[in-house]
Amino acid sequence: MSTHEPDYDHLLRTNIERVFSERDPAQRAKVIAEIYTAEPVLLEPNDIVRGRDNISQTVDKLLERFGPDFAFVPVGQANGHHGLAHLTWHAGPKNGPVVVTGADVAEIVDGRIARLWVLLDTAS
């Protein structure tokens, strides 16, 4: 049994900064190919998205909906063990107010994201 743990912080930060905040689809596709398994699954509160291309299209729609200055920002450091990782984040216009907060929880297989649950915090 291997005791080697992947760099959970690198994987989840890269996902937030270079996938979910990346507006160039070609750049995003390269990063998705690097950090996601061949057949990843994205689980959102209202949808299940399968496959790298569909994940990229979901990000396109999300960024288009929120406008050109919207970005996701990691909060703190990701932690994980035995193939499960967690990272909190917030999002909103760059240099503007936080619009939404949440967390990503990922199943990591062979050093790549296999499944990603996007958990949104409820408004208080």
Side-chain angles (χ1 to χ4, degrees), residues 1-123:
M1 182 166 136
S2 172
T3 59
H4 173 73
E5 292 282 353
D7 187 341
Y8 296 115
D9 190 60
H10 172 75
L11 280 170
L12 292 183
R13 281 179 175 279
T14 298
N15 184 59
I16 287 175
E17 296 168 346
R18 297 182 53 214
V19 174
F20 277 82
S21 292
E22 177 59 62
R23 296 186 182 286
D24 180 336
Q27 289 298 320
R28 185 184 321 118
K30 278 190 201 177
V31 176
I32 288 173
E34 290 172 15
I35 67 167
Y36 279 84
T37 60
E39 294 297 326
V41 179
L42 170 66
L43 299 107
E44 297 182 312
N46 298 313
D47 200 7
I48 297 175
V49 180
R50 299 179 188 281
R52 291 174 175 172
D53 290 342
N54 291 331
I55 289 171
S56 187
Q57 290 171 8
T58 297
V59 172
D60 271 336
K61 292 175 191 171
L62 181 69
L63 293 174
E64 183 179 304
R65 184 172 82 210
F66 288 112
D69 290 333
F70 193 85
F72 292 86
V73 178
V75 176
Q77 193 168 20
N79 61 54
H81 61 83
H82 295 93
L84 185 69
H86 169 271
L87 179 64
T88 58
W89 50 262
H90 66 257
K94 291 179 183 171
N95 302 318
V98 170
V99 175
V100 63
T101 61
D104 290 345
V105 175
E107 176 187 9
I108 309 300
V109 175
D110 296 329
R112 293 183 173 191
I113 299 169
R115 293 194 289 175
L116 179 73
W117 288 263
V118 176
L119 306 174
L120 302 177
D121 293 331
T122 56

